[in-house]
Amino acid sequence: MTSFLSARGVSKTFGNSASGVLALSNVSLDVREGEFVCLLGASGCGKSTLLNMFAGFIPPSVGELRLRGEPISGIDPRCGMVFQSYALFPWKTVRENVAFGPKMRGAGRRERRDIAERFIEMVGLSGFGDHYPTELSGGMQQRVTLARCLAADPEVLLMDEPFAALDAMTREILQEELGRIHMRSGKTVVFVTHNIDEALIMADRIVVMSPRPGRISAFIGNELPKPRNIDTQLLPSYARMKREVWSHIAGDMAAMRDNN
């Protein structure tokens, strides 16, 4: 497998080596270009820690992370981050928020507007360009956040449970939308979730992580047909895959209880 984004023997300790907390232990992962990978596991298994290291927000204690073969040694503009919170500029319109990245790159006013309109349309918000974030629902604000990230044209989308705060119906809609956007844009995506159904709907490959300290316990390829939606959950293959994923998570949790 050609590695586009990789972690090699990565461990992370918070605090000093004697009394610190080991959050990740000897994690190695290769992500292909254009792949949608879900990091799945219970709270406390280091999913967000690994994502933040890919973003360059925190360094590993041991090991290294690379993008296109180059070390990730700090915050990298090639990686775009989408958090649970919407992190929009409340004083800017939807169009101005989405155009912020191109503006920082030096794009002219006409180019910025064209880019913003393209991604506003891509996330299904045509007609809302002149609205402010406070005039939008939570789901719509998260669409704007995604459009702004895409407009900045990162090579990798890093997404930390971006739909966790949304109601179930909006969450399912945005899962389908993100799947469609991924197929259309071809972006590489690393997506953190603790929801098995979300991982099965979204991912090309599921990376199951075990807690305390965080380790990778399984790699599971997702062969469910695309595009995926709520009807995908009716397929017999969906039920089989869900049982397989759950068996790894349940095994990890049982092992953790036995060791405590």
Side-chain angles (χ1 to χ4, degrees):
M1 178 179 69
T2 302
S3 179
F4 175 72
L5 179 69
S6 66
R8 289 281 183 273
V10 167
S11 297
K12 180 62 183 179
T13 301
F14 290 100
N16 61 54
S17 57
S19 60
V21 175
L22 180 60
L24 284 176
S25 177
N26 195 29
V27 169
S28 293
L29 172 64
D30 289 289
V31 180
R32 294 185 294 271
E33 187 169 9
E35 188 177 24
F36 196 124
V37 169
C38 274
L39 305 180
L40 174 69
S43 297
C45 69
K47 305 182 300 295
S48 295
T49 298
L50 180 57
L51 201 75
N52 284 325
M53 286 195 288
F54 277 136
F57 296 156
I58 56 175
S61 302
V62 177
E64 67 174 5
L65 302 106
R66 289 178 175 268
L67 175 57
R68 290 196 183 276
E70 299 175 5
I72 297 172
S73 57
I75 296 175
D76 196 319
R78 296 175 298 172
C79 296
M81 191 80 164
V82 178
F83 300 95
Q84 287 186 37
S85 58
Y86 312 130
L88 298 171
F89 299 122
W91 61 89
K92 292 182 179 289
T93 64
V94 167
R95 185 178 296 106
E96 289 168 340
N97 267 283
V98 176
F100 182 76
K103 182 178 181 180
M104 292 298 97
R105 293 200 309 269
R109 181 173 298 179
R110 176 64 181 271
E111 183 183 0
R112 296 199 304 267
R113 186 180 181 90
D114 289 345
I115 292 172
E117 291 299 334
R118 176 158 61 93
F119 287 104
I120 289 170
E121 185 275 331
M122 183 180 287
V123 300
L125 286 178
S126 294
F128 288 90
D130 293 322
H131 286 65
Y132 289 89
T134 55
E135 299 173 321
L136 306 177
S137 68
M140 294 172 78
Q141 289 186 57
Q142 196 61 303
R143 288 172 185 253
V144 178
T145 302
L146 178 57
R148 186 175 71 177
C149 188
L150 289 167
D153 198 26
E155 296 188 42
V156 182
L157 286 177
L158 304 172
M159 309 188 77
D160 193 0
E161 299 194 69
F163 307 145
L166 304 176
D167 63 88
M169 185 177 296
T170 302
R171 185 171 184 159
E172 288 181 354
I173 291 170
L174 288 184
Q175 287 168 358
E176 290 185 33
E177 288 290 335
L178 180 56
R180 178 183 60 81
I181 289 168
H182 173 249
M183 292 176 68
R184 184 172 169 181
S185 69
K187 292 289 184 185
T188 305
V189 181
V190 182
F191 187 106
V192 163
T193 183
H194 59 261
N195 185 296
I196 296 175
D197 290 308
E198 185 163 69
L200 288 171
I201 288 294
M202 305 300 306
D204 297 319
R205 188 162 50 115
I206 298 169
V207 178
V208 181
M209 298 187 67
S210 61
R212 300 181 189 175
R215 296 183 175 91
I216 293 176
S217 63
F219 295 99
I220 301 172
N222 190 349
E223 302 300 328
L224 293 168
K226 292 184 178 183
R228 302 180 190 133
N229 53 40
I230 193 169
D231 292 334
T232 304
Q233 299 182 31
L234 302 176
L235 298 173
S237 54
Y238 186 94
R240 287 196 300 271
M241 286 206 65
K242 188 169 183 178
R243 286 194 298 270
E244 178 185 357
V245 174
W246 174 246
S247 70
H248 287 287
I249 293 174
D252 290 339
M253 294 175 69
M256 183 181 70
R257 288 194 300 269
D258 292 342
N259 291 330
N260 288 338

